[in-house]
Amino acid sequence: MAVQRAASPRRPPAPLWPRLLLPLLLLLLPAPSEGLGHSAELAFAVEPSDDVAVPGQPIVLDCRVEGTPPVRITWRKNGVELPESTHSTLLANGSLMIRHFRLEPGGSPSDEGDYECVAQNRFGLVVSRKARIQAATMSDFHVHPQATVGEEGGVARFQCQIHGLPKPLITWEKNRVPIDTDNERYTLLPKGVLQITGLRAEDGGIFHCVASNIASIRISHGARLTVSGSGSGAYKEPAILVGPENLTLTVHQTAVLECVATGNPRPIVSWSRLDGRPIGVEGIQVLGTGNLIISDVTVQHSGVYVCAANRPGTRVRRTAQGRLVVQAPAEFVQHPQSISRPAGTTAMFTCQAQGEPPPHVTWLKNGQVLGPGGHVRLKNNNSTLTISGIGPEDEAIYQCVAENSAGSSQASARLTVLWAEGLPGPPRNVRAVSVSSTEVRVSWSEPLANTKEIIGYVLHIRKAADPPELEYQEAVSKSTFQHLVSDLEPSTAYSFYIKAYTPRGASSASVPTLASTLGEAPAPPPLSVRVLGSSSLQLLWEPWPRLAQHEGGFKLFYRPASKTSFTGPILLPGTVSSYNLSQLDPTAVYEVKLLAYNQHGDGNATVRFVSLRGASERTALSPPCDCRKEEAANQTSTTGIVIGIHIGVTCIIFCVLFLLFGQRGRVLLCKDVENQLSPPQGPRSQRDPGILALNGARRGQRGQLGRDEKRVDMKELEQLFPPASAAGQPDPRPTDPAAPAPCEETQLSVLPLQGCGLMEGKTTEAKTTEATAPCAGLAAAPPPPDGGPGLLSEGQASRPAAARVTQPAHSEQ
């Protein structure tokens, strides 16, 4: 049978001395050149920005490139190269002019979209950030001002809402005349709100909302303001008519948080942040009686703002709150740097960007999206680009593009591959042969040319199913042409390739080769047993889904310990983790055996012995008596208290009598029932209730036990394990060669107890029975988690060991 190994995943480490050789090889290589600056060979000086165009009017998208000439500039629209035509013209400085911006949703293609400037020279290609170009529009009003009636000295509010690009400018007219913005009682908010405080009779009239941008001008419906007589002057609780709305803005925009409060006397409006942080004073102003304006917002302004309306001189107040979310376009904290590296080595670019929400990073190679795969790896949320085993085909300009909902940014760097003359060719004739379930021998031949400067070889190893970033290396000396790769996983395919290293660089990689390790039978599964009742057991183990992939599963056998043949095998799939055995003999000790198997054969079995007697005896010992009849359901609580007092007094009297007369026993209310019980069985240990008790001493014999060691009654043991060759009884050990061989398969068999010296030592907590010889190989199993009857499990058969069974002293009840 194959050597058994645990079924845990392995992470193959490289041997120690190759780990020391690999850094030495890299140190002998020429030092990489320092960063060549931020894309000095080709970079954007000016990139196009988002803009709004007027249909029918011209628009210019700026682009200016710096780099080694000649530089060719083209444009892309929505990722597709834009051909030159009379409609769009490329200017001499690289900018793009659209002569007549089109917005035709049903006919000709619209000029709206995402535009990119593309620059290329002999070093590579770079792409600018995306500039979104939209047409100027103006919708109809979707909220018109409504007629309002207000009291003199009160507050009136008009609102209109309209969408447009760019954002429309909102003004107000009263009776077709622009309102006087110098009037302190009139407050105009940029979002289209007009507030009038301290109303007077002359404020009455018809109000219109006027919206204008480069696309159009719109005028809303008229709304009449009627001012009634002066208020009664009665006290009115402070109230907030309109509180702040939830806003999502981009940095450098202006936030307008509205708060309109009423009450008599007029409440005082104040602002605070819910998180307790100060609002600050820079860029903060208050319009009207309580509107908060934050100009040039930053990410730090994000938070929940609370408007409070307080009655003067009191603590009476009302509050309203709104959330402000400030987004920031992606910007770079660390730009990638241009580098030069020898061929065959590894190149790494790092690009870190920040923004709100956090930006997503994408890499481009000469303008094309670069994804992981092959010798390209992306780590740390795409912030690190690693290219291993670089060659001439990897020489390009690489760009890091960071993008979120607020905008995008790009940064570029160039990779120069240094190819030294006279480097050796790739190693030849690479072969991999499986040696065992955990080892593969890899062999190769020297390169054909330039072998004098070779200082060593590096073997690259990875699972065939793993991505390239999980590859690891082992280095070997220059005089070695084969290497034993160990600590691999059984039945697993691996990929191998080799490079030769010189002080001036590494050769190109050899042709990769594949090899699969040999298979092996699975390891013994961990098994635990729970007693469910007097005639049923539950077997528990860990599922092994991988067994199903290798045509495997579990085999279960069981038998009474006194029998010679097992029931089974019961075949179970690898995904199963439990099985119940029922209709068992309550008086028997059972041997349970579980093993895992696959296409390579059966693994070693895990064996457990379990007794059902404890469960059946607990059932028999459950007190059937009902010494005090339950009182009637309608008995009052007072009667119960009186009966409880009587019972308590009676117990005290019995305890006093017990102490006076030194009686050794216990006071039982159900004495008649106790006398009818069967002789007491071996009790379970208080310290370790899971251990199977083998005590055969009766209650009357306990008083005769002293501190001297004494023999345990053998009758109890014979009930669990019948003698191997009693008089007149045939040998119970199996003789059928087809029957399972307990010693060979399970390393444990039914043990003959004749000749075992079982010595009992008395302790205060438990009694320990030891078999000095020849009962080797039997050990007490750890207690099951549910505290059920314990198990006798397989011991170490390689050394003689005393069979140890913990036997508790009888506990008084």
Side-chain angles (χ1 to χ4, degrees), residues 496-742:
F496 307 90
Y497 68 90
I498 306 174
K499 291 183 181 180
Y501 277 80
T502 71
R504 296 186 295 117
S507 72
S508 57
S510 69
V511 176
T513 184
L514 295 175
S516 296
T517 53
L518 302 178
E520 65 177 2
L527 174 64
S528 61
V529 184
R530 296 178 60 184
V531 176
L532 300 180
S534 60
S535 61
S536 60
L537 299 174
Q538 184 180 36
L539 312 179
L540 302 169
W541 63 90
E542 291 292 331
W544 290 359
R546 190 174 179 182
L547 288 176
Q549 304 173 6
H550 299 279
E551 304 175 3
F554 296 101
K555 293 181 181 180
L556 175 63
F557 303 85
Y558 70 96
R559 68 175 178 181
S562 59
K563 302 295 184 181
T564 59
S565 60
F566 283 92
T567 299
I570 301 173
L571 299 180
L572 302 171
T575 56
V576 171
S577 61
S578 65
Y579 190 81
N580 291 351
L581 297 177
S582 57
Q583 298 181 354
L584 303 177
D585 183 0
T587 63
V589 175
Y590 277 86
E591 179 183 357
V592 181
K593 182 172 66 172
L594 181 71
L595 60 86
Y597 69 94
N598 57 17
Q599 74 270 31
H600 302 290
D602 294 349
N604 287 337
T606 302
V607 179
R608 295 288 183 265
F609 284 86
V610 61
S611 171
L612 292 173
R613 175 174 300 182
S616 61
E617 290 174 351
R618 285 196 302 272
T619 302
L621 287 173
S622 297
C625 65
D626 185 10
C627 302
R628 292 191 302 270
K629 295 295 184 179
E630 194 175 294
E631 299 295 335
N634 60 351
Q635 187 176 13
T636 63
S637 60
T638 304
T639 306
I641 294 174
V642 173
I643 292 176
I645 293 174
H646 283 288
I647 293 175
V649 172
T650 303
C651 291
I652 293 174
I653 294 174
F654 274 102
C655 290
V656 172
L657 293 176
F658 176 79
L659 294 175
L660 291 177
F661 295 100
Q663 294 181 353
R664 300 182 60 187
R666 57 182 177 175
V667 179
L668 297 175
L669 296 177
C670 303
K671 186 173 182 180
D672 294 338
V673 177
E674 183 190 32
N675 293 334
Q676 297 174 7
L677 294 177
S678 59
Q681 306 300 323
R684 303 193 312 166
S685 173
Q686 298 175 356
R687 183 180 58 189
D688 194 354
I691 302 301
L692 178 65
L694 300 180
N695 183 16
R698 299 181 180 274
R699 184 185 305 275
Q701 297 172 339
R702 274 180 289 149
Q704 302 175 4
L705 294 177
R707 295 186 179 273
D708 299 334
E709 295 182 351
K710 300 194 177 183
R711 299 276 181 174
V712 177
D713 189 354
M714 296 297 294
K715 293 182 180 180
E716 182 83 1
L717 295 175
E718 291 176 357
Q719 292 176 4
L720 292 176
F721 299 98
S725 57
Q729 297 293 335
D731 190 350
R733 288 175 294 182
T735 57
D736 186 2

Side-chain angles (χ1 to χ4, degrees), residues 93 160 207 210 315 327 342 354 423 519 533 537-538 579 799:
N93 64 354
C160 66
F207 290 81
V210 181
R315 295 186 178 181
Q327 296 183 341
Q354 66 181 9
L423 290 177
L537 299 174
Q538 184 180 36
Y579 190 81
R799 60 178 183 180

